[in-house]
């Protein structure tokens, strides 16, 4: 009796882990395909840079240079979010592939025990 409860408990826990891994993998894939990033407007970026230059007594940067820096910042944020989503996807796949063989093993044990008792 205790052995059966143990087998069912392990099968249930590993099944929950596989399902959770699948959900997290789906969410990570969605974040990779369509990253959710906060993008400050160019006007906000420009005003912060101008304020920084005033406080540090640096020379003003031309509008074209500011646009190039802003575009580079946007690309960097997008790449960071995609890399983070890819990292999350790999971790989520671990939550699927590590407990899955354990679930299959215990599920087969449960089925064998059912066939023996019949």
């Amino acid at each position: 009796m205790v052995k059966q409860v143990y087998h069912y408990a392990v099968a249930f826990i590993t099944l929950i882990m596989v399902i959770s891994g699948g959900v997290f993998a789906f969410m990570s894939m969605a974040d990779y395909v369509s990253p959710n990033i906060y993008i400050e407007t160019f006007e906000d970026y420009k005003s912060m840079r101008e304020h920084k230059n005033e406080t540090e007594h640096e020379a003003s940067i031309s509008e074209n240079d500011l646009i190039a820096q802003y575009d580079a910042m946007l690309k960097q944020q997008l790449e960071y979010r995609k890399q983070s989503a890819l990292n999350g996807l790999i971790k989520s796949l671990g939550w699927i592939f590590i407990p899955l063989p354990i679930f299959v093993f215990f599920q087969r044990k449960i089925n064998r025990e059912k066939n023996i008792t019949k």
Side-chain angles (χ1 to χ4, degrees), residues 31-110:
D31 285 342
Y32 183 79
V33 172
S34 177
N36 185 13
I37 59 172
Y38 167 75
I39 300 175
E40 66 181 332
T41 62
F42 176 70
E43 289 76 24
D44 291 339
Y45 181 79
K46 181 179 173 182
S47 67
M48 289 295 286
R49 294 294 297 187
E50 288 173 351
H51 178 70
K52 181 181 176 187
N53 289 342
E54 288 174 4
T55 58
E56 295 179 0
H57 303 295
E58 292 181 6
S60 294
I61 300 174
S62 71
E63 185 87 12
N64 290 337
D65 289 340
L66 275 176
I67 291 172
Q69 288 177 358
Y70 178 72
D71 289 340
M73 180 200 64
L74 290 180
K75 282 183 181 180
Q76 183 181 22
Q77 283 185 357
L78 183 63
E79 287 302 315
Y80 172 76
R81 292 294 182 168
K82 282 189 168 186
Q83 187 63 38
S84 178
L86 191 59
N87 188 17
L89 177 64
I90 292 168
K91 290 176 183 177
S92 299
L93 291 176
W95 277 93
I96 295 171
F97 293 122
I98 293 171
L100 186 62
I102 299 168
F103 171 75
V104 171
F105 175 77
F106 276 93
Q107 190 62 37
R108 286 182 180 168
K109 270 191 153 187
I110 292 169

Side-chain angles (χ1 to χ4, degrees), residues 13-29 88-104:
I13 291 169
T14 54
L15 179 63
I16 295 299
M17 291 171 74
V18 170
I19 291 170
S20 299
V23 170
F24 293 139
F26 180 79
M27 289 174 19
S28 294
M29 186 57 76
L89 177 64
I90 292 168
K91 290 176 183 177
S92 299
L93 291 176
W95 277 93
I96 295 171
F97 293 122
I98 293 171
L100 186 62
I102 299 168
F103 171 75
V104 171

